[in-house]
Amino acid sequence: MSRERTRRELPPVQEHIDKLRKVVEEGNGYGALQMYKSISARYVTAQRFSEALDILFSGACIELEHGLVNCGADLAILFVDTLVKAKSPCNDETLDRIRGMYKLFPRVPVPPHLVDVSDDEDVQNLQESLGEARSRVDNLTSFLRAAIKWSAEFGGPSTGYPELHAMLGDYLYTECPELDMVRISRHFVRAEDPEKFASMLISFMGRCYPGEDDLAIARAVLMYLSMGNMKDANFMMDEIKRQAETKNPELLESDLIQFISYLLETLQRDALPLFNMLRVKYKSSIDRDQLLNELLDEIAERFYGVQRKNPLQGMFGDIFKMMG
């Protein structure tokens, strides 16, 4: 009875949206945040989820439009939490709202931090810029991770909606002061956009430390293969080779790149002995990164039915990848 009375007493949602917009425009973004939370919670309690989502979407957009990233991110995350409570399906309408909020997260050029900054004021400004960049990335990551999980649970692919992975991977690559290519790659291999991923890796060649470029490419190809995605793995390798011929021919001489090329040919036939021989021959190159061995174990299981020594390894790996 109490819930029914609440449903009847709640005013039209547009009244709240108009009122709270004015609060933000008057400069009280944090105060508006608390009101957005409390008012939307009343609609959720009354199981008027659609109206709660309208309030939260409007609030996230308004706060972000005014540069209040922390407030906007809080409401964007609460928007996804409400989708879960409402058991809302992953559909175009909701994805359009997620895209709209994502586009409002700022993209601010971060000054290069590997330079000689001697002036104390410059050092402080640089530290503040990097701190703000990390905060923006953390906020956006929390929002899209929640959205990816929601999409996986309510009608999207089991690994999450591909475009959401692409959005997160792109933001991490362009906005994060310290690039984590493993984390970025885990999202791009689920994004169903190998062309963009290949372009990003080619761009990374000009930004990475010596010796990191072939590792990044090997991880990307092996991640595709660990998912059974031969098509995109081959596309990635062909595109890298094509561009490296003119831009970075030394890359093609890397032992690790040669191993990946031979591996792609081997996986096209039932050739477990040859697969094992390649792992032995190129062991020193593979051992440069433990993740490569873990991915190869997953590939051996997927393509040849070889059971891993630790059967929980793959399960926990999938969990951590989703968390990334």
Side-chain angles (χ1 to χ4, degrees):
M1 182 68 69
S2 175
R3 180 177 293 172
E4 287 301 317
R5 185 166 58 249
T6 300
R7 288 176 65 90
R8 291 193 300 268
E9 290 175 353
L10 290 173
V13 70
Q14 192 62 43
E15 292 183 13
H16 294 303
I17 291 175
D18 294 340
K19 175 183 176 182
L20 293 174
R21 174 184 288 275
K22 291 180 181 178
V23 175
V24 176
E25 290 174 346
E26 290 169 358
N28 190 8
Y30 182 76
L33 171 65
Q34 304 310 312
M35 288 187 277
Y36 277 118
K37 288 182 175 181
S38 62
I39 293 171
S40 63
R42 289 163 56 194
Y43 283 85
V44 169
T45 299
Q47 295 190 338
R48 291 169 62 170
F49 296 110
S50 177
E51 290 155 297
L53 290 168
D54 288 344
I55 293 170
L56 293 168
F57 173 68
S58 174
C61 291
I62 293 167
E63 298 273 17
L64 289 168
E65 286 169 357
H66 285 76
L68 302 168
V69 180
N70 291 338
C71 295
D74 277 357
L75 294 174
I77 294 167
L78 192 53
F79 176 89
V80 179
D81 289 345
T82 304
L83 290 175
V84 175
K85 290 178 182 176
K87 299 182 180 179
S88 295
C90 179
N91 56 33
D92 289 339
E93 180 182 357
T94 302
L95 289 169
D96 277 344
R97 285 185 155 188
I98 291 173
R99 292 184 193 103
M101 290 183 281
Y102 166 76
K103 290 176 181 177
L104 291 173
F105 276 81
R107 292 177 179 263
V108 182
V110 178
H113 55 290
L114 297 178
V115 296
D116 181 17
V117 180
S118 54
D119 185 85
D120 288 344
E121 184 175 349
D122 289 341
V123 171
Q124 182 176 351
N125 290 337
L126 178 59
Q127 290 175 340
E128 289 177 358
S129 295
L130 295 176
E132 291 170 359
R134 294 186 188 101
S135 178
R136 288 192 299 271
V137 169
D138 288 345
N139 279 317
L140 187 280
T141 298
S142 296
F143 165 47
L144 284 185
R145 276 174 50 184
I148 289 168
K149 185 177 179 182
W150 157 78
S151 70
E153 293 178 359
F154 294 97
S158 61
T159 56
Y161 194 71
E163 186 182 354
L164 299 178
H165 283 290
M167 289 155 58
L168 180 50
D170 181 70
Y171 200 89
L172 289 172
Y173 183 70
T174 60
E175 302 302 309
C176 192
E178 299 90 7
L179 286 181
D180 183 344
M181 290 305 297
V182 174
R183 184 182 181 193
I184 293 167
S185 296
R186 281 174 173 162
H187 288 291
F188 266 108
V189 296
R190 290 163 172 78
E192 296 182 0
D193 192 352
E195 294 89 350
K196 185 171 184 178
F197 190 17
S199 297
M200 187 206 71
L201 283 175
I202 291 163
S203 168
F204 176 69
M205 292 180 195
R207 302 173 59 180
C208 65
Y209 291 107
E212 281 190 351
D213 46 5
D214 60 344
L215 271 176
I217 294 164
R219 290 190 205 105
V221 174
L222 293 183
M223 284 181 186
Y224 274 130
L225 292 173
S226 70
M227 298 167 63
N229 190 345
M230 281 283 291
K231 178 182 176 182
D232 288 344
N234 277 290
F235 175 89
M236 173 69 68
M237 201 62 193
D238 290 344
E239 187 66 14
I240 293 293
K241 286 180 177 179
R242 184 181 69 81
Q243 300 227 18
E245 285 177 355
T246 56
K247 296 181 180 179
N248 188 6
E250 296 84 6
L251 177 67
L252 302 180
E253 300 174 5
S254 159
D255 285 347
L256 195 53
I257 296 299
Q258 291 179 20
F259 165 71
I260 295 296
S261 297
Y262 290 137
L263 177 66
L264 287 168
E265 296 178 9
T266 300
L267 293 177
Q268 295 181 28
R269 53 183 184 266
D270 187 10
L272 178 59
L274 180 55
F275 174 87
N276 290 330
M277 287 173 59
L278 286 173
R279 291 191 69 169
V280 172
K281 180 177 179 179
Y282 289 94
K283 185 178 185 303
S284 60
S285 296
I286 297 168
D287 285 348
R288 288 167 56 194
D289 185 347
Q290 178 56 32
L291 177 59
L292 301 184
N293 277 302
E294 294 174 9
L295 290 169
L296 285 167
D297 288 344
E298 292 185 25
I299 292 166
E301 182 177 48
R302 179 175 289 274
F303 283 85
Y304 300 118
V306 177
Q307 188 172 0
R308 277 168 284 191
K309 295 178 182 179
N310 181 1
L312 296 179
Q313 178 185 5
M315 181 183 73
F316 285 119
D318 288 341
I319 294 173
F320 289 131
K321 289 169 190 173
M322 286 295 292
M323 292 294 289

